[in-house]
């Protein structure tokens, strides 16, 4: 199958590796010529160009640009595609993207692989990134069944676990488990560096270990991506942040009141709930 990838970063480059390993002919497009050359040299794509017309021959195109570029890039891309071409994206916000692209392109299937890390760029791409990871598809009622079937088949071949939901449901869910953690993690780091005693701050930096590393990891990610999460999933994220603030205020009150039994009850409840989210 001829598969196009628009945007050759971590996700796009990783898709390229896995799709090529299965015998697909992968066409890549990037804004930078140097990225195109690197992607070909690394073996992530068969061909690469800064020109979108390279994707004219693609039967399926993955849009792997930053969230804010997905819609404008698709608006340009569709002038180069036959009507039968299937288009899907990997954006971490779905409702505004699906609402904007569906009227423009009948064979569009919204998607979001829950995979990746804080690195970015084609050099960060890796093989088997999607194995065992959730991959959400958000087709609408009018989305052609054939287009959905093609995207589902490719996603399953990546070793990912497919979930179907409405775009709005997706955005509410990821506001809790993806976008909120970025903001909380960032605020944790910001709180720590607000320490005014330089000796204490230095000591804290020297002592920071696995606990701090785990809870601060996503706060060290791409700032541009964090801003786009907030911009394009604003209402859902605000709701999650406000609920988080209420829970934080509750913990503050329990500690101020020295209500250790209630605090233990609270911590036991979260200890028991955590396995429902992660292994």
């Amino acid at each position: 199958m001829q598969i196009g990838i628009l945007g050759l970063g971590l996700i796009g480059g990783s898709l390229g590796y896995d799709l090529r390993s299965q015998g697909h002919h992968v066409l890549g497009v990037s804004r930078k010529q140097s990225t195109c050359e690197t992607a070909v040299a690394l073996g992530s794509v068969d061909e690469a160009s800064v020109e979108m017309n390279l994707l004219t021959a693609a039967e399926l195109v993955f849009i792997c640009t930053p969230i804010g570029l997905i819609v404008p890039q698709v608006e340009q891309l569709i002038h180069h595609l036959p009507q039968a071409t299937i288009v899907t994206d990997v954006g971490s916000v779905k409702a505004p993207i699906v609402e904007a692209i569906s009227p423009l392109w009948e064979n569009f299937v919204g998607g979001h692989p829950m995979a990746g890390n804080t690195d970015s760029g084609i050099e960060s791409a890796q093989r088997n990134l999607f194995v065992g990871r959730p991959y959400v598809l958000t087709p609408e009622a009018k989305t052609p069944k054939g287009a959905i079937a093609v995207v589902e088949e490719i996603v399953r071949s990546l070793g990912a676990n497919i979930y179907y939901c409405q775009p709005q449901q997706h955005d509410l869910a990821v506001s809790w488990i993806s976008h909120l953690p970025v903001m909380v993690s960032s605020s944790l780091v910001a709180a720590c560096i607000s320490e005014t005693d330089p000796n204490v701050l230095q000591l804290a930096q020297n002592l920071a270990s696995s606990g701090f590393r785990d809870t601060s990891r996503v706060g060290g990610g791409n700032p541009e991506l964090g801003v786009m999460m907030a911009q394009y999933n604003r209402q859902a994220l605000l709701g999650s942040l406000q609920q988080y603030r209420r829970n934080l205020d509750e913990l503050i009150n329990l500690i101020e009141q020295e209500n250790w039994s209630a605090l233990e009850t609270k911590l036991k409840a979260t200890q028991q709930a955590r396995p429902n989210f992660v292994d």
Side-chain angles (χ1 to χ4, degrees):
M1 190 176 189
Q2 298 258 23
I3 300 180
I5 298 175
L6 177 55
L8 297 173
L10 168 64
I11 299 298
S14 299
L15 276 170
Y17 280 136
D18 291 351
L19 294 172
R20 287 195 72 223
S21 71
Q22 296 171 23
H24 298 291
H25 188 81
V26 179
L27 309 166
V29 171
S30 175
R31 288 177 290 176
K32 296 181 180 180
Q33 181 61 35
S34 58
T35 301
C36 294
E37 294 170 359
T38 301
V40 173
L42 292 174
S44 174
V45 299
D46 292 284
E47 303 175 54
S49 174
V50 295
E51 301 295 335
M52 287 190 183
N53 58 14
L54 177 68
L55 303 181
T56 301
E59 302 163 78
L60 168 66
V61 177
F62 284 87
I63 311 298
C64 301
T65 66
I67 302 169
L69 294 178
I70 292 174
V71 174
Q73 292 282 278
V74 169
E75 289 174 340
Q76 296 179 45
L77 173 65
I78 58 178
H79 297 294
H80 301 280
L81 300 180
Q83 288 188 340
T85 304
I86 300 165
V87 177
T88 187
D89 77 306
V90 300
S92 65
V93 177
K94 292 271 65 76
I97 291 173
V98 172
E99 289 169 6
I101 297 179
S102 291
L104 301 176
W105 200 252
E106 181 183 21
N107 287 309
F108 174 72
V109 182
H112 179 206
M114 302 294 293
N117 51 52
T118 55
D119 297 326
S120 59
I122 185 64
E123 294 85 359
S124 303
Q126 54 189 277
R127 292 169 174 79
N128 301 316
L129 179 67
F130 310 98
V131 174
R133 304 303 303 164
Y135 199 120
V136 186
L137 297 179
T138 60
E140 297 185 299
K142 61 183 180 181
T143 306
K145 297 295 188 290
I148 299 171
V150 169
V151 175
E152 179 178 323
E153 181 181 0
I154 293 295
V155 169
R156 289 198 189 282
S157 74
L158 300 173
N161 300 320
I162 296 180
Y163 294 86
Y164 283 97
C165 68
Q166 298 174 352
Q168 294 80 4
Q169 289 178 315
H170 167 276
D171 292 353
L172 288 169
V174 297
S175 76
W176 288 114
I177 52 82
S178 180
H179 301 172
L180 176 63
V182 169
M183 302 304 158
V184 170
S185 177
S186 175
S187 64
L188 168 63
V189 177
C192 291
I193 62 177
S194 70
E195 170 58 55
T196 56
D197 185 328
N199 293 322
V200 173
L201 178 59
Q202 184 62 60
L203 181 60
Q205 292 171 342
N206 293 341
L207 297 179
S209 188
S210 59
F212 185 82
R213 183 181 303 110
D214 291 345
T215 50
S216 66
R217 182 183 66 83
V218 292
N222 187 340
E224 180 186 16
L225 179 57
V227 171
M228 288 186 180
M229 289 175 178
Q231 182 179 353
Y232 290 93
N233 202 22
R234 179 174 172 271
Q235 285 305 122
L237 179 56
L238 281 174
S240 298
L241 281 166
Q242 288 159 359
Q243 181 58 45
Y244 179 76
R245 181 168 60 187
R246 286 190 285 270
N247 279 269
L248 194 59
D249 286 340
E250 181 183 354
L251 291 174
I252 291 172
N253 290 334
L254 291 176
I255 295 171
E256 285 180 339
Q257 297 165 10
E258 300 185 19
N259 191 341
W260 311 128
S261 61
L263 178 61
E264 183 179 14
T265 299
K266 179 79 172 178
L267 295 178
K268 283 182 177 178
T270 55
Q271 178 191 46
Q272 293 170 359
R274 185 175 182 272
N276 295 325
F277 294 89
V278 294
D279 293 332

